[in-house]
Amino acid sequence: NGLHLGVEGAQIADRLHLVVRLTGPDAGPVLWHHQTSLPLSQSDFIAEGEFPQIVFQTAVAAMAAFPGLVATQSGPARANALIARAVAEMFSYDADRLRLADTLLTEAFAVEPQARCLAWRSLVRQIQFVERTEPDRARLTDEADEFARKALEMTDTNALVLALVSQ
């Protein structure tokens, strides 16, 4: 019920012709598409030529579209969409958008309690501390530590959580 990635390919002579499509839920609108033709003589599709760029562009399109799906999702998919939107808001470094990011992460945690929600909230507090967007800096430090501790209590193997709390 989230984003759908479709890849169609056909070999014609010495080239691989690809159409890559990213669509919304339930085969909804096409959010992004790309057509390309790759030479089959290429020795490494993964590391060379246009293919890595297509993968990157697809990922960027998905990240841009995912936060917009919040209203149409439920359960874990909704939590993921809320987190994606929060991440986009937090890196604005704007005081109001940082508060919004925290609200979105709180809602995501209520929908689907996950350690990464707490780890992201810890990072929000750190950004608020560094950017001086909130007057009570001691509270920000305490909350950043508390969120990091709780995230680690929920999981000690999630690489994203470990990376976020290591900040």
Side-chain angles (χ1 to χ4, degrees):
N1 292 334
L3 299 176
H4 298 276
L5 175 65
V7 180
E8 297 175 26
Q11 179 181 344
I12 302 173
D14 65 343
R15 300 191 71 77
L16 177 62
H17 298 271
L18 291 175
V19 176
V20 182
R21 248 183 237 101
L22 187 65
T23 59
D26 301 319
V30 174
L31 304 170
W32 178 85
H33 80 282
H34 185 78
Q35 295 175 317
T36 191
S37 176
L38 305 171
L40 289 173
S41 60
Q42 188 172 315
S43 63
D44 185 359
F45 278 107
I46 302 299
E48 298 175 3
E50 189 177 355
F51 189 76
Q53 294 170 359
I54 295 169
V55 172
F56 177 76
Q57 291 170 358
T58 305
V60 168
M63 289 304 296
F66 203 63
L69 297 176
V70 171
T72 65
Q73 302 299 305
S74 62
R78 180 173 176 76
N80 289 337
L82 287 163
I83 292 167
R85 182 162 174 227
V87 170
E89 295 296 334
M90 82 173 61
F91 289 110
S92 69
Y93 302 102
D94 174 76
D96 291 334
R97 290 178 69 186
L98 285 164
R99 287 185 210 105
L100 174 59
D102 188 60
T103 299
L104 293 167
L105 291 166
T106 301
E107 183 179 345
F109 190 82
V111 169
E112 182 78 17
Q114 301 176 49
R116 64 188 173 123
C117 293
L118 297 170
W120 279 118
R121 287 189 76 195
S122 177
L123 185 60
V124 167
R125 292 300 184 272
Q126 293 173 48
I127 293 170
Q128 290 173 316
F129 183 90
V130 170
E131 296 296 321
R132 299 177 185 267
T133 62
E134 305 296 324
D136 190 351
R137 295 171 54 83
R139 178 187 59 86
L140 295 175
T141 302
D142 291 344
E143 288 179 355
D145 290 345
E146 178 185 355
F147 292 140
R149 182 184 46 75
K150 286 181 178 178
L152 289 173
E153 288 173 358
M154 290 181 76
T155 182
D156 61 356
T157 59
N158 183 307
L160 175 63
V161 170
L162 294 174
L164 290 171
V165 301
S166 72
Q167 297 296 318

